[in-house]
């Protein structure tokens, strides 16, 4: 139902945009279409990548590849990147999905909401991979046996976007690009809007997810767009639990977790305050009121002799 509703609303918003181009009505149409195409696709990509949305693996894979295209993400590269994110969550030098580095830049963070830089970097990466130039980050976590798949996927995505650009030039209309490829950019703000609530301002280099991942209580519309990933702490602790069961999981283990942010606004207030302080003190982190239960955080002590040090200076934590 969730997937059918998302696809149906996306098609409806796309029809609205095409039917009203280019009147004043096309502005709200673009906002809706962009949010559904380039924004809500992020949570679909995420859940299908975990393979828990559908019982059918094929159904998960179809929507995963569709959402990957909508986000300019190479399906294979980002599948392995997300494995690493769950294995080494917010471990500096290991987690490839740490978006907001310390000390943070206020203007760079604000600019991220336009997705102009982020979208351009994602597409340029696809172009490089399409020309068989696998970047160092991908080589770090994608097995060499998968590189050919990476190249083929990139060529398909780049070809489809290039076709939309050629159609726009041929017909002298921006509409084809506004419907295919463009929403990844002008709808990407929603990816940042939700994504920043996950880990920003929290502790780095700890193995206890209760210190580095945030759960936020959100309204029903946000939960639909985000597929319950507002329960992000629970998801990182138990990534095989399907999105629809996360609220029940939260109720089951809530007494062992730090209090969830009561609202999106409250989460942003904490994030903005912490990131502002990190400008002068990069070690500043939002405090977590974690109950004293067995298995409390184990800090990663950089330089310990019993951890395998890698040639580039990072530390491998093991399985």
């Amino acid at each position: 139902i969730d997937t059918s509703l998302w696809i149906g609303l996306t098609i409806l918003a796309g029809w609205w945009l095409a039917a009203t181009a280019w009147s004043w009505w096309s502005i709200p149409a673009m906002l809706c279409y962009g949010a559904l195409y380039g924004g809500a696709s992020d949570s679909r990509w995420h859940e299908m990548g975990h393979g828990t949305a559908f019982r059918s693996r094929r159904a998960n894979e179809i929507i995963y590849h569709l959402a990957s295209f909508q986000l300019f993400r190479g399906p294979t590269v980002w599948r392995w990147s997300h494995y690493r994110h769950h294995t080494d969550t917010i471990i500096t030098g290991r987690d490839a999905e740490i978006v907001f580095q310390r000390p943070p830049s206020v203007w760079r963070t604000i600019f991220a909401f336009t997705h102009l830089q982020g979208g351009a970097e994602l597409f340029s990466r696809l172009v490089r991979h399409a020309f068989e130039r696998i970047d160092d980050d991908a080589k770090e976590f994608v097995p060499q046996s998968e590189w050919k798949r990476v190249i083929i996927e990139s060529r398909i995505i780049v070809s489809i976007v290039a076709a939309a650009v050629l159609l726009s030039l041929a017909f002298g209309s921006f509409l084809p690009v506004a419907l295919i490829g463009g929403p990844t950019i002008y709808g990407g703000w929603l990816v940042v809007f939700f994504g920043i609530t996950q880990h920003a301002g929290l502790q780095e280099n700890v193995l206890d997810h209760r210190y580095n991942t945030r759960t936020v209580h959100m309204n029903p519309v946000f939960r639909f767009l985000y597929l319950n990933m507002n329960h992000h702490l629970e998801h990182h602790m138990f990534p095989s639990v399907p999105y629809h069961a996360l609220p029940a999981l939260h109720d089951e283990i809530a007494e062992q977790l730090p209090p969830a942010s009561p609202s999106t606004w409250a989460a942003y207030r904490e994030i903005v305050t912490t990131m502002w302080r990190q400008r002068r003190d990069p070690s500043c982190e939002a405090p977590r009121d974690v109950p004293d239960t067995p298995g409390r955080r184990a800090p990663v002590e950089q330089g310990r002799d019993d951890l395998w040090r890698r040639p580039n200076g990072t530390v491998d934590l093991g399985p």
Side-chain angles (χ1 to χ4, degrees):
I1 292 173
D2 284 335
T3 302
S4 298
L5 184 58
W6 168 62
I7 293 175
L9 289 173
T10 303
I11 293 173
L12 183 62
W15 172 85
W16 184 19
L17 174 57
T20 59
W22 295 101
S23 68
W24 287 107
W25 282 108
S26 62
I27 296 176
M30 285 187 72
L31 289 173
C32 291
Y33 185 64
L36 291 163
Y37 178 116
S41 54
D42 180 50
S43 55
R44 275 71 191 173
W45 161 86
H46 177 266
E47 193 62 25
M48 307 302 160
H50 278 277
T52 52
F54 294 105
R55 289 177 180 163
S56 164
R57 180 172 181 176
R58 178 175 294 180
N60 282 312
E61 286 295 296
I62 290 172
I63 302 300
Y64 176 75
H65 280 79
L66 171 64
S68 296
F69 166 76
Q70 291 174 283
L71 295 164
F72 288 168
R73 295 177 183 172
T76 298
V77 170
W78 278 80
R79 192 190 302 275
W80 284 94
S81 170
H82 202 64
Y83 288 164
R84 175 67 64 82
H85 173 62
H86 271 273
T87 304
D88 298 334
T89 305
I90 316 300
I91 302 295
T92 55
R94 293 284 292 175
D95 189 349
E97 297 183 16
I98 299 179
V99 179
F100 300 98
Q101 306 291 337
R102 302 184 190 182
S105 166
V106 175
W107 293 113
R108 192 179 303 136
T109 302
I110 294 173
F111 185 64
F113 280 86
T114 67
H115 206 47
L116 290 172
Q117 180 179 351
E121 289 175 350
L122 287 168
F123 191 73
S124 65
R125 188 186 202 188
L126 288 171
V127 172
R128 291 195 303 273
H129 289 174
F131 284 95
E132 303 185 13
R133 293 167 53 196
I134 308 296
D135 58 72
D136 292 339
D137 283 346
K139 290 179 180 179
E140 170 71 18
F141 46 74
V142 179
Q144 190 170 356
S145 60
E146 298 274 83
W147 290 2
K148 185 176 181 179
R149 183 189 296 270
V150 170
I151 293 168
I152 293 173
E153 292 169 347
S154 299
R155 287 174 176 173
I156 293 172
I157 296 174
V158 170
S159 297
I160 295 173
V161 175
V165 173
L166 291 174
L167 282 174
S168 286
L169 293 174
F171 291 105
S173 170
F174 181 67
L175 187 58
V177 172
L179 291 171
I180 299 176
T184 306
I185 307 297
Y186 67 76
W189 65 271
L190 191 62
V191 178
V192 181
F193 176 78
F194 286 137
I196 198 174
T197 65
Q198 296 175 358
H199 309 284
L202 299 181
Q203 292 189 31
E204 296 177 342
N205 301 321
V206 293
L207 303 183
D208 189 335
H209 292 302
R210 296 176 298 175
Y211 288 90
N212 62 23
T213 308
R214 179 185 288 106
T215 283
V216 183
H217 292 306
M218 293 185 177
N219 62 62
V221 174
F222 282 2
R223 292 202 304 271
F224 165 72
L225 293 172
Y226 200 25
L227 278 187
N228 281 345
M229 279 300 112
N230 53 297
H231 290 287
H232 211 67
L233 170 54
E234 295 82 354
H235 166 70
H236 266 269
M237 295 177 71
F238 300 98
S240 295
V241 173
Y243 73 93
H244 56 78
L246 289 178
L249 175 61
H250 172 79
D251 293 340
E252 182 74 17
I253 64 174
E255 64 181 18
Q256 301 176 61
L257 307 179
S261 295
S263 66
T264 309
W265 171 252
Y268 262 87
R269 188 166 59 242
E270 177 184 71
I271 292 165
V272 171
T273 300
T274 304
M275 293 180 73
W276 186 260
R277 291 172 178 168
Q278 286 177 345
R279 291 166 57 249
R280 291 185 172 84
D281 180 10
S283 65
C284 179
E285 295 162 334
R288 298 286 90 182
D289 185 14
V290 176
D292 190 5
T293 58
R296 295 198 64 178
R297 66 171 176 169
V300 180
E301 299 176 16
Q302 298 287 343
R304 268 176 50 189
D305 293 336
D306 57 337
L307 290 175
W308 179 50
R309 294 193 63 80
R310 298 166 61 87
N312 63 359
T314 61
V315 175
D316 192 292
L317 303 178

